[in-house]
């Protein structure tokens, strides 16, 4: 009897511990290549070169949804896709320094009255309905809004809003309380190698953060004359969600599928994409004039 | 002098590559986008936006490139999915698009997400002639395929599609697929389906399915007596989500 009692206590404690499996509906996050994450630790820097900024990765991380059965749904280059969970961070992105930040669920997710099983199941239904829709390469919508143009974090926000849970408050942040701002001076080919200073922001209290970039005419959601992006880290830090333990039975990295990166933007050079105001040719013209002027000055005597 | 000119020339090359001059009436742009879209040496993250733009161009000539991509079984599945989606966006060369989608769907090694996208695209194209493919998809062992088939059939919204969905509901064991069947049948707000949705709301064993039936019925602009009675009865449903959806003024 003396030996059986401690064993029974041990069995009870083990059975009463937190479930190790990743819960259906969990929101998953990882950093960008080089473990860079826009908004974290005061990093509000965007690349200047068009090759890096809009033909590359914005170093803003990634978000996806766990739908159970070791599967995720996320918005990536190929569109909204359903894949094995290990493709959340592909081996290629792991090798490039992307790091898993963890998974989160709504703060009241364990409250059975607020989140009965059917409400959690509805996350899967809504997410699966988006599978096969397009990725928003110009970030003109980001959260779908019926057209099916999603970024990674926009998809996660949309799905939760459809089941009645607003993870990140709606709204736009450009300055003042509720976020941070930082000036950034760009100097690259697109500014004709002259200084161009803009103010980038990172919202904590609202979905969309204002960016000012030499190529902002080509990307971002238009709002009151400015361009805005919903960054994954804004959603990640919301107090409406809480972290869940890592699940050793559900791999989240090492897959070989197509890119698990978000904010892989490629603007349409022709300037006809939605939200494109066609300012780029003017910028280019100005840049050419500056270069031409510089060439004249550099003429040897 | 030489350095200055070389710098200018280099800049112009990069600038022209980044922002090429617009051709007459967008024709050059269509050609350029098509060239980028079909070039396997270009990165997919550059090709896919070009494919998207071809789909949104409204220009029927874009279909040739898109069909070429979709028909190539050696092409990247993400590129093929994007081509299928773009063909649905374009809405032209409809019959060729449907035929190519059916063929790609039937490939033994077709990627799952390509199949999901094709089903969705066939639905958007209102491919009522593809019912045999949808019938097969509704019986697929993969619940994801059955789910997307149900969603696409809802887009078709014709009597053949409704018949397939109603028949599948009675057989379907997966609650997610059953829920999607209910949503597919409910979204068109067809009064003839009010009795079916009412029956689901009162009788389905899964709260998820009953909840979706209640959501669909509540969205009807005008409800008949059967729908109203079902919603009233659902006010005592064990699921709080069903009760909430069924509540309020009828």
């Amino acid at each position: 009897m003396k030996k059986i009692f401690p064993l029974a206590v041990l069995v009870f404690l083990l059975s009463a511990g937190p479930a190790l499996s990743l819960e259906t509906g969990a929101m998953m996050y990882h950093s960008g290549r080089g473990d860079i994450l826009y908004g974290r630790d005061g990093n509000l820097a965007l690349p200047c070169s068009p090759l890096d900024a809009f033909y590359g990765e914005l170093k803003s991380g990634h978000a996806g949804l766990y739908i159970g059965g070791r599967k995720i749904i996320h918005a990536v280059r190929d569109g909204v896709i359903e894949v094995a969970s290990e493709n959340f961070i592909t081996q290629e992105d792991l090798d490039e320094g992307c790091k898993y930040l963890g998974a989160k669920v709504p703060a009241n997710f364990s409250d059975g009255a607020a989140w009965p099983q059917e409400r959690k199941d509805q996350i899967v239904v809504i997410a699966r309905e988006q599978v096969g829709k397009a990725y928003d390469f110009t970030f003109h919508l980001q959260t779908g809004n019926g057209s099916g143009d999603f970024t990674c974090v926009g998809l996660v926000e949309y799905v939760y809003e459809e089941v009645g849970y607003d993870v990140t408050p709606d709204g736009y942040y450009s300055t003042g309380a509720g976020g941070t701002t930082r000036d950034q001076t760009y100097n690259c080919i697109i500014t004709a190698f002259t200084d161009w200073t803009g103010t980038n922001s990172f919202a904590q209290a609202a979905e969309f953060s204002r960016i000012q970039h030499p190529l902002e005419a080509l990307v971002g959601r238009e709002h009151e004359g400015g361009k805005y992006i919903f960054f994954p880290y804004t959603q990640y830090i919301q107090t409406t969600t809480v972290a869940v333990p890592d699940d050793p039975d559900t791999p989240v990295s090492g897959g070989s599928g197509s890119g698990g990166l978000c904010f892989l933007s490629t603007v349409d050079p022709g300037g006809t994409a939605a939200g494109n105001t066609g300012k780029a040719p003017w910028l280019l013209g100005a840049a050419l004039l500056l270069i031409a002027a510089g060439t004249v000055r550099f003429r040897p005597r | 002098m030489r350095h200055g000119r070389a710098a200018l020339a280099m800049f112009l090359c990069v600038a022209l590559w980044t922002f090429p001059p617009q051709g007459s009436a967008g024709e050059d742009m269509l050609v350029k986008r098509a060239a980028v879209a079909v070039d396997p040496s270009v990165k997919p993250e550059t090709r896919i936006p070009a494919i998207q733009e071809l789909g949104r161009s409204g220009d029927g000539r874009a279909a040739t490139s898109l069909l070429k991509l979709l028909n190539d079984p050696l092409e990247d599945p993400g590129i093929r999915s994007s081509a299928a989606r773009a063909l649905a966006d374009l809405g032209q060369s409809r019959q060729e698009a449907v035929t190519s989608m059916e063929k790609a769907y039937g490939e033994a090694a077709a990627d799952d997400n390509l199949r999901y996208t094709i089903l969705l695209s066939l639905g958007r194209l209102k491919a009522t002639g593809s019912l045999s493919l949808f019938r097969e998809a509704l019986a697929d062992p993969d619940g994801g395929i059955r789910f997307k088939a149900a969603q696409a059939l809802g887009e078709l919204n014709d009597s053949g599609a409704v018949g397939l969905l109603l028949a599948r509901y009675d057989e379907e064991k997966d609650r997610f697929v059953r829920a999607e069947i209910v949503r597919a049948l409910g979204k068109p707000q067809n009064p003839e389906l009010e009795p079916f949705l009412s029956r689901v709301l009162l009788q389905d064993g899964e709260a998820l399915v009953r909840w979706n039936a209640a959501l669909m019925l509540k969205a009807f602009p005008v409800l008949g007596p059967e729908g109203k009675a079902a919603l009233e009865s659902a006010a005592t449903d064990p699921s709080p989500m069903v009760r909430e959806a069924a509540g309020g003024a009828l």
Side-chain angles (χ1 to χ4, degrees), chain B residues 2 114 121 144 150 231:
Chain B
R2 273 185 195 163
L114 173 59
S121 302
L231 284 171

Side-chain angles (χ1 to χ4, degrees), chain B residues 183 186-190 194 197 211-223 227 231 245-247 249-250:
Chain B
R183 290 168 69 82
K187 277 179 185 168
Q189 300 178 341
N190 179 354
E194 190 183 311
L197 293 170
W211 181 24
N212 278 288
L215 290 171
M216 295 299 114
L217 279 172
K218 282 292 280 189
F220 271 53
V222 181
L223 263 186
L231 284 171
L250 292 173

Side-chain angles (χ1 to χ4, degrees), chain B residues 21-215:
Chain B
Q22 302 263 1
S24 58
E27 189 170 331
D28 290 350
M29 189 50 66
L30 186 83
V31 171
K32 181 186 174 294
R33 283 182 186 134
V36 170
V38 299
D39 185 349
S41 69
V42 176
K43 281 183 175 179
E45 45 266 42
T46 305
R47 296 174 72 192
I48 291 173
I51 292 167
Q52 284 185 2
E53 287 301 324
L54 287 176
R56 290 165 183 166
S57 70
D59 191 325
R61 291 170 302 166
T64 309
S65 305
L66 298 173
L67 287 167
K68 183 183 174 199
L69 292 169
L70 179 57
N71 290 335
D72 183 357
L74 299 177
E75 187 55 89
D76 177 279
I79 296 282
R80 297 181 80 193
S81 296
S82 301
R85 197 160 42 231
L87 281 163
D89 287 340
L90 192 63
Q92 300 184 38
S93 301
R94 197 181 156 283
Q95 193 47 54
E96 293 97 315
V98 168
T99 304
S100 290
M101 285 183 200
E102 288 186 343
K103 192 172 167 221
Y105 181 89
E107 289 168 14
D111 173 80
D112 285 346
N113 283 290
L114 173 59
R115 283 194 170 133
Y116 300 152
T117 306
I118 286 174
L119 289 168
L120 199 63
S121 302
L122 286 171
R124 289 175 60 213
L125 284 169
K126 312 270 182 214
T128 50
S130 300
L131 283 186
S132 60
L133 181 149
F134 283 118
R135 187 180 293 111
E136 184 189 313
L138 277 179
D140 196 281
D142 177 354
I145 291 285
R146 300 200 301 280
F147 185 100
K148 295 309 281 188
Q151 185 185 1
L153 282 164
E155 296 287 324
L156 261 55
N157 189 28
D158 80 336
S159 58
V162 168
L164 282 181
L165 288 168
L166 288 172
R168 184 66 212 176
Y169 172 82
D170 289 331
E171 294 175 34
E172 184 59 57
K173 301 280 186 271
D174 185 321
R175 66 184 184 279
F176 297 105
V177 180
R178 243 175 25 252
E180 188 56 31
I181 290 172
V182 166
R183 290 168 69 82
L185 288 168
K187 277 179 185 168
Q189 300 178 341
N190 179 354
E192 290 178 13
L193 290 168
E194 190 183 311
F196 166 77
L197 293 170
S198 303
R199 176 170 66 90
V200 172
L201 174 55
L202 297 177
Q203 295 178 6
D204 197 285
E206 289 287 347
L208 173 70
V209 186
R210 297 198 305 278
W211 181 24
N212 278 288
L215 290 171

Side-chain angles (χ1 to χ4, degrees), chain A residues 164-200:
Chain A
Y165 196 80
D166 198 9
V167 177
T168 316
D170 294 346
Y172 298 85
Y173 173 83
S174 58
T175 187
T180 50
T181 60
R182 182 156 298 173
D183 287 347
Q184 180 177 358
T185 299
Y186 301 88
N187 187 320
C188 64
I189 191 166
I190 204 64
T191 65
F193 298 106
T194 57
D195 287 351
W196 189 102
T197 301
T199 305
N200 290 331

Side-chain angles (χ1 to χ4, degrees), chain A residues 137-150:
Chain A
F137 283 98
T138 58
F139 310 151
H140 68 290
L141 282 174
Q142 304 174 58
T143 52
N145 199 25
S147 76
D149 286 281
F150 291 107

Side-chain angles (χ1 to χ4, degrees), chain A residues 59-293:
Chain A
K59 310 279 187 187
S60 300
H62 184 49
L65 272 172
Y66 183 69
I67 60 159
R70 296 185 180 180
K71 285 196 162 184
I72 61 163
I73 289 176
H74 61 171
V76 290
R77 178 192 79 191
D78 293 353
V80 180
I81 56 174
E82 181 178 325
V83 289
S85 59
E86 59 262 36
N87 285 312
F88 182 58
I89 315 179
T90 62
Q91 188 57 48
E92 182 189 351
D93 293 336
L94 267 185
D95 294 343
E96 293 285 343
C98 292
K99 291 200 172 142
Y100 185 58
L101 298 176
K104 298 184 83 177
V105 293
N108 60 349
F109 215 46
S110 58
D111 177 357
W115 285 96
Q117 188 57 46
E118 59 272 25
R119 192 178 181 196
K120 294 177 179 176
D121 285 348
Q122 189 79 338
I123 294 168
V124 179
V125 170
I126 302 297
R128 272 197 171 151
E129 283 187 346
Q130 314 317 313
V131 170
K133 294 183 179 177
Y135 184 77
D136 184 359
F137 283 98
T138 58
F139 310 151
H140 68 290
L141 282 174
Q142 304 174 58
T143 52
N145 199 25
S147 76
D149 286 281
F150 291 107
T151 57
C152 60
V153 67
L155 172 70
V156 173
E157 191 76 24
Y158 173 85
V159 169
Y160 265 94
E161 284 183 5
E162 285 293 296
V163 298
Y165 196 80
D166 198 9
V167 177
T168 316
D170 294 346
Y172 298 85
Y173 173 83
S174 58
T175 187
T180 50
T181 60
R182 182 156 298 173
D183 287 347
Q184 180 177 358
T185 299
Y186 301 88
N187 187 320
C188 64
I189 191 166
I190 204 64
T191 65
F193 298 106
T194 57
D195 287 351
W196 189 102
T197 301
T199 305
N200 290 331
S201 73
F202 175 71
Q204 289 146 12
E207 287 177 1
F208 288 92
S209 304
R210 181 162 186 181
I211 57 150
Q212 287 186 320
H213 190 279
L215 287 173
E216 70 180 25
L218 301 173
V219 293
R221 183 192 272 211
E222 181 101 30
H223 176 71
E224 294 181 350
K227 286 302 185 77
Y228 291 79
I229 291 180
F230 183 12
F231 291 100
Y233 197 59
T234 294
Q235 188 183 70
Y236 178 74
I237 59 173
Q238 293 303 311
T239 54
T240 53
T241 58
V242 292
V244 292
D246 289 344
D247 173 12
D249 292 333
T250 307
V252 295
S253 62
S256 58
S258 63
L261 287 171
C262 194
F263 293 94
L264 256 178
S265 168
T266 307
V267 294
D268 171 30
T272 56
N276 186 335
T277 56
K279 288 176 189 165
W282 291 102
L283 276 171
L284 178 64
L288 283 171
L289 282 173
L290 284 166
I291 280 285

